[in-house]
Amino acid sequence: MPPAETTVTLPKAEIPRSWYNVLPDLPEPLEPYLTPDGQPVKPEMLAPIFPEALIEQELSPKPRFDIPEPVLETLARWRPTPLTRAAGLEKALGVRSRIWFKNESVSPSGSHKSNTAMAQAYYNKAAGIKRLATETGAGQWGTALSIAGQAFDLNVRVYMVRISLEQKPGRKTVMNLMGAEVLSSPSDLTEAGRKAKAENPGTLGTLGLAISEAVEDAASRPDTNYSLGSVLNHVLLHQTIIGQELKKQFKAGGIKPDYLVACHGGGSNFGGMAVPFVPEIKDGAKISLIAAEPESCPSLTRGKFAHDFGDAAGLTPMLPMYTLGKDFQPPAIHAGGLRYHGASPIVSALVKSGMVKPEAIGGPELFRYASLFARTEFIVPAPESAHALAAACMKALELEQAGKPGDIVFVLSGHGLLDLSAYEDFINTY
Amino acid sequence: MPPAETTVTLPKAEIPRSWYNVLPDLPEPLEPYLTPDGQPVKPEMLAPIFPEALIEQELSPKPRFDIPEPVLETLARWRPTPLTRAAGLEKALGVRSRIWFKNESVSPSGSHKSNTAMAQAYYNKAAGIKRLATETGAGQWGTALSIAGQAFDLNVRVYMVRISLEQKPGRKTVMNLMGAEVLSSPSDLTEAGRKAKAENPGTLGTLGLAISEAVEDAASRPDTNYSLGSVLNHVLLHQTIIGQELKKQFKAGGIKPDYLVACHGGGSNFGGMAVPFVPEIKDGAKISLIAAEPESCPSLTRGKFAHDFGDAAGLTPMLPMYTLGKDFQPPAIHAGGLRYHGASPIVSALVKSGMVKPEAIGGPELFRYASLFARTEFIVPAPESAHALAAACMKALELEQAGKPGDIVFVLSGHGLLDLSAYEDFINTY
């Protein structure tokens, strides 16, 4: 018989009304973004591709930003998201620790990406923009922005990394169904795309290159802005709704977390979970923040801290972050959302200060833990989220061995129903 | 800006504690099931493939059955399911009627099928059974039973209709991930399968034939029972949790439904919604019950009422139902769950008495309404459920033309994230 399920839910009235800005609370001020010739980036330089409200959120030291009412109403369609105890998983692992997951897969797009997509679409619409250009790796972000485009009446074009498009054709179908145009990146429609194809006709594409294409698209059309699904401060800001809800759920459920775990690609899911806990950790709270990244694209554990471009073509500002270099070509892993050479400047600063511990996860145990989760919790995790759940399982086993069971919380950032080729490969191999 | 969403949710404590048995409340008693030589089927004849508890539920006139505690605990993982007003859809259609959908897609399998899968797995496990054999069309039922097998520790083998397996390979991956074995039907492992292949090597398979294979498998092994996802009385019984929740939600939300709409394949989703309303309709309540079936497999609207086999090979009892004949070969429509020659005896009796109105739905407008729903409600409907939502939209437009807006409620029996080939074909064609 299945173990009884425990879920900490919050009423709609408990949805946070503002986003938390970690910038003023960072251990050290964030280093400025730089132009290619080493000058600090000025806000007006970002105006060709971002609306003013998002530029302010990117750079401001204001401690909080109110969530606009139409965004709140939209978030209320699926938020607050549940925090569920994975009792079946605990039993299967044979651990006494409690393992909890914050289930962001219940959003319309099936991932946490909808949290910022709705906000970005709202601000762009309010600024009179008609059309958004963006990139997507595994497709979670492109799906989220396509839906947000429908919600706030904007046209959306998505440059999707070629290898991900081939692995996950269903993603294109969903984005098309949601009214978006989807192109394989590199495409022939941009200078950056044509150059990449000329240099390497067989390229699988990368997130960095798809970003170049979308930025070029947006910069070349006055009716179009660019929209980014991760990395930048304003994206993490919108995702803080995750960590803020977690705090309330910990209180409501009597949970004292020892570990907070999320996967890390560009950093929005991890940052959204983690940064609301920065003030209490600075005040001495014993919470370990674990960023689970893929072994094959280990920007936090193996990259160097430097100013580097956010994209492959060098069209973006240079960001202070851990980076494998803008030309790094990650292998064709299924967790397409984690195939990024760089990292969020905020998360990078927290790693540099020692407040966040990155861990690289890979190999067959990744999908073994994901399968165990599927069979005990009846949810197919996204390959990205599988990194977090594998790290959480390993922590639970470590605590068991040390005889010190605790509370481990991870973010299930998305479901994997549109990433099944990953599981097919796993089932056929092991 | 998106219209604010209204959802009627119920607390966990409001999950119905018993199933409602419509048998004693039918306008006329159900005609008996017959053996091929015309004798009434006796309960013990069903014992080789069903546990005693389910045979009792199939034939008993008891007005209610208590839901066992372990089944309730499992259902509480996702129930009660929300009843949501599709305000965006209403706006897009330009109607003043309120359109509501009961969202069964939030279950672990993504459809209403989990409601009975969990119950059937529980009773089989309790009876000492080790293994279940079943069929599946589009894969919703096979997925639900695979998950229920994990929940109650049973092995599961699924005979999946060949055309559906080819259209939806992701379904097999999910069932495999959930520990089930999946075979293309007709297979070489059963007499029925070998015979069908010999007679028609290119056959696409049918639900009726896959049922024959699963029944033969179960009848030939003492550790194995057969499990059916629709048609039979005990399956509809378990699905009455849908209609019972709806009643409470109507009361909580001040909703007086003019139309209750669900799609109809074997009848479990439609019956689960509809039959709890039979007593009040008998007492004069003005509620129209609409069964939306596919034009291409129109058992209720074009079939004849007769005793016919539930499967292609004639291994099951002969059921009193509307049928297109056990050898009917429906075309390869995407709504694989509706490709069934027969119909639930209970629903058939209600159609015969005039209490349920069947309507055949088809053509490109089916997916046009489904797309409209996806773009306004941000959920991709299963092709089966699209029949119900299309019928609901047409009713709303009719009421608008007549100047009499009302409340229309349909069941979103499942999501379509594992049925994307249907939408890909639609997008490429229209």
Side-chain angles (χ1 to χ4, degrees):
Chain A
M1 302 302 140
E5 199 201 44
T6 314
T7 293
V8 185
T9 50
L10 294 173
K12 296 272 177 215
E14 290 289 322
I15 298 177
R17 317 289 294 186
S18 63
W19 292 302
Y20 162 73
N21 184 10
V22 73
L23 289 182
D25 288 335
L26 286 176
E28 287 179 33
L30 213 60
E31 292 181 33
Y33 299 173
L34 300 179
T35 62
D37 57 2
Q39 300 303 309
V41 166
K42 290 176 194 152
E44 57 268 28
M45 293 176 181
L46 300 172
I49 59 168
F50 291 123
E52 202 176 327
L54 293 180
I55 297 172
E56 190 201 350
Q57 292 178 358
E58 183 65 25
L59 303 170
S60 164
K62 260 177 66 175
R64 300 198 81 91
F65 285 88
D66 287 341
I67 304 178
E69 202 55 41
V71 176
L72 262 183
E73 275 179 20
T74 309
L75 295 176
R77 283 175 174 247
W78 73 94
R79 305 206 70 89
T81 60
L83 176 66
T84 298
R85 184 165 166 200
L89 180 65
E90 293 165 16
K91 198 177 153 195
L93 290 170
V95 297
R96 287 164 296 167
S97 286
R98 299 192 297 180
I99 303 177
W100 302 84
F101 61 99
K102 175 72 168 163
N103 191 351
E104 292 294 308
S105 80
V106 300
S107 88
S109 65
S111 84
H112 71 292
K113 295 289 188 186
S114 287
N115 298 328
T116 183
M118 295 298 188
Q120 292 190 44
Y122 166 79
Y123 286 117
N124 276 289
K125 181 71 180 180
I129 286 296
K130 306 281 181 228
R131 181 176 172 275
L132 293 174
T134 196
E135 75 293 326
T136 200
Q140 289 187 337
W141 168 243
T143 304
L145 198 68
S146 302
I147 292 172
Q150 289 298 321
F152 292 97
D153 193 22
L154 288 163
N155 292 317
V156 173
R157 177 187 278 175
V158 180
Y159 294 88
M160 184 165 181
V161 175
R162 183 187 143 199
I163 176 67
S164 290
L165 185 57
E166 289 172 7
Q167 286 170 339
K168 299 159 197 208
R171 279 284 180 194
K172 176 174 187 290
T173 305
V174 173
M175 288 186 268
N176 287 158
L177 187 62
M178 296 298 178
E181 186 189 0
V182 180
L183 300 171
S184 177
S185 169
S187 77
D188 293 319
L189 296 188
T190 66
E191 188 64 35
R194 287 188 296 270
K195 186 158 169 279
K197 280 172 113 168
E199 283 170 7
N200 180 1
T203 180
L204 302 174
T206 65
L207 263 175
L209 179 56
I211 293 173
S212 298
E213 292 207 274
V215 168
E216 185 185 326
D217 181 318
S220 66
R221 289 181 54 164
D223 68 342
T224 301
N225 265 346
Y226 169 64
S227 196
L228 183 66
S230 193
V231 182
L232 294 176
N233 302 344
H234 68 274
V235 183
L236 268 70
L237 179 82
H238 303 153
Q239 295 292 0
T240 60
I241 200 156
I242 302 173
Q244 291 186 79
E245 284 182 7
L246 274 177
K247 283 188 170 191
K248 294 184 182 198
Q249 287 167 314
F250 291 164
K251 207 166 163 185
I255 301 163
K256 292 193 188 305
D258 298 285
Y259 290 99
L260 290 180
V261 188
C263 64
H264 185 280
S268 75
N269 157 53
F270 176 80
M273 168 197 74
V275 302
F277 293 90
V278 163
E280 32 190 300
I281 294 175
K282 278 168 77 179
D283 287 348
K286 297 264 174 266
I287 302 174
S288 294
L289 301 173
I290 308 289
E293 66 176 9
E295 274 178 358
S296 52
C297 193
S299 52
L300 295 178
T301 52
R302 310 283 287 274
K304 65 172 186 177
F305 188 88
H307 272 85
D308 193 9
F309 293 104
D311 69 322
L315 301 179
T316 72
M318 298 183 74
L319 309 174
M321 63 182 179
Y322 284 95
T323 175
L324 297 160
K326 74 179 178 55
D327 298 320
F328 180 76
Q329 298 274 339
I333 59 168
H334 283 288
L338 307 183
R339 287 178 77 245
Y340 184 61
H341 68 276
S344 140
I346 288 173
V347 176
S348 295
L350 292 172
V351 169
K352 196 153 166 267
S353 76
M355 204 181 283
V356 167
K357 287 175 195 62
E359 295 192 2
I361 308 282
E365 65 265 33
L366 179 65
F367 280 99
R368 275 199 201 110
Y369 288 119
S371 300
L372 201 60
F373 182 81
R375 290 184 187 195
T376 51
E377 302 302 323
F378 314 147
I379 301 172
V380 180
E384 290 82 2
S385 316
H387 288 74
L389 90 82
C393 290
M394 289 188 256
K395 288 293 166 224
L397 292 169
E398 278 173 33
L399 291 183
E400 195 62 26
Q401 201 141 29
K404 292 179 180 169
D407 272 325
I408 301 166
V409 180
F410 74 90
V411 181
L412 185 78
S413 54
H415 67 66
L417 292 181
L418 297 173
D419 306 287
L420 291 173
S421 58
Y423 289 95
E424 207 182 318
D425 284 0
F426 171 70
I427 289 165
N428 292 338
T429 312
Y430 298 100
Chain B
M1 300 304 141
E5 198 201 45
T6 315
T7 293
V8 185
T9 50
L10 294 173
K12 296 271 176 217
E14 290 289 322
I15 297 177
R17 317 288 296 185
S18 63
W19 293 302
Y20 162 72
N21 184 9
V22 75
L23 288 182
D25 288 336
L26 286 176
E28 287 178 34
L30 212 59
E31 293 180 33
Y33 299 173
L34 300 179
T35 62
D37 57 2
Q39 300 303 308
V41 166
K42 290 178 194 147
E44 56 270 28
M45 293 177 182
L46 301 172
I49 60 169
F50 291 123
E52 201 177 328
L54 293 179
I55 297 172
E56 190 201 348
Q57 293 178 358
E58 183 65 25
L59 303 170
S60 164
K62 260 177 67 175
R64 301 199 79 93
F65 286 88
D66 288 341
I67 305 178
E69 202 55 40
V71 177
L72 262 183
E73 273 179 20
T74 309
L75 295 176
R77 284 176 175 247
W78 73 94
R79 303 205 73 88
T81 61
L83 177 66
T84 298
R85 185 166 167 200
L89 181 66
E90 292 165 16
K91 197 177 155 195
L93 290 169
V95 297
R96 287 163 296 166
S97 285
R98 298 191 299 179
I99 303 176
W100 302 83
F101 61 99
K102 175 72 168 163
N103 191 352
E104 292 294 309
S105 80
V106 300
S107 88
S109 65
S111 85
H112 70 293
K113 295 289 188 187
S114 288
N115 298 328
T116 183
M118 294 299 188
Q120 292 190 43
Y122 166 79
Y123 286 117
N124 276 289
K125 181 71 181 180
I129 286 297
K130 306 279 181 229
R131 181 175 173 276
L132 293 174
T134 196
E135 74 293 328
T136 199
Q140 288 186 340
W141 169 243
T143 305
L145 198 67
S146 302
I147 292 172
Q150 288 298 322
F152 291 98
D153 193 21
L154 288 163
N155 293 317
V156 174
R157 176 186 279 175
V158 181
Y159 294 87
M160 184 165 180
V161 176
R162 182 186 143 199
I163 177 67
S164 290
L165 185 57
E166 288 173 6
Q167 286 170 337
K168 301 161 194 206
R171 279 285 180 193
K172 176 175 187 288
T173 306
V174 172
M175 289 185 267
N176 286 158
L177 187 61
M178 296 298 178
E181 185 188 2
V182 181
L183 299 171
S184 178
S185 169
S187 77
D188 294 320
L189 295 189
T190 66
E191 189 63 35
R194 287 187 295 268
K195 185 157 170 278
K197 280 173 114 168
E199 283 170 7
N200 180 1
T203 180
L204 302 174
T206 64
L207 262 176
L209 179 56
I211 293 173
S212 297
E213 292 206 273
V215 169
E216 185 185 326
D217 181 320
S220 66
R221 288 181 54 164
D223 68 342
T224 301
N225 265 347
Y226 170 64
S227 195
L228 184 67
S230 193
V231 182
L232 294 176
N233 302 344
H234 68 273
V235 184
L236 268 70
L237 179 82
H238 303 153
Q239 294 292 359
T240 60
I241 200 157
I242 300 174
Q244 292 186 77
E245 283 183 8
L246 274 177
K247 284 188 169 190
K248 294 185 181 199
Q249 287 168 313
F250 292 164
K251 207 166 163 187
I255 301 163
K256 291 193 188 305
D258 299 285
Y259 290 99
L260 290 180
V261 189
C263 63
H264 185 280
S268 75
N269 157 52
F270 176 80
M273 169 196 73
V275 302
F277 293 90
V278 163
E280 32 189 300
I281 293 174
K282 278 168 78 179
D283 286 350
K286 296 265 176 266
I287 302 173
S288 295
L289 302 174
I290 309 289
E293 65 176 10
E295 275 178 358
S296 52
C297 192
S299 51
L300 295 178
T301 52
R302 309 284 286 276
K304 66 171 184 177
F305 187 89
H307 271 87
D308 192 10
F309 292 103
D311 70 322
L315 301 180
T316 72
M318 298 184 73
L319 309 175
M321 62 181 179
Y322 284 96
T323 174
L324 298 160
K326 74 178 178 56
D327 298 319
F328 180 76
Q329 297 273 339
I333 58 168
H334 283 288
L338 307 182
R339 287 178 77 246
Y340 184 61
H341 68 275
S344 139
I346 287 173
V347 176
S348 295
L350 293 172
V351 168
K352 195 152 168 270
S353 77
M355 203 181 283
V356 166
K357 289 175 193 63
E359 296 191 3
I361 308 282
E365 64 266 33
L366 178 66
F367 280 99
R368 275 200 200 108
Y369 288 119
S371 299
L372 202 59
F373 182 81
R375 290 185 188 194
T376 51
E377 301 302 323
F378 315 147
I379 300 172
V380 180
E384 291 81 3
S385 317
H387 288 74
L389 88 85
C393 290
M394 289 187 255
K395 288 294 167 222
L397 292 168
E398 276 173 35
L399 290 183
E400 195 62 26
Q401 201 141 29
K404 291 180 181 168
D407 271 326
I408 301 165
V409 180
F410 74 90
V411 181
L412 184 79
S413 55
H415 67 64
L417 293 181
L418 297 174
D419 306 287
L420 290 173
S421 59
Y423 289 94
E424 207 181 318
D425 284 0
F426 172 72
I427 290 165
N428 293 338
T429 313
Y430 298 100

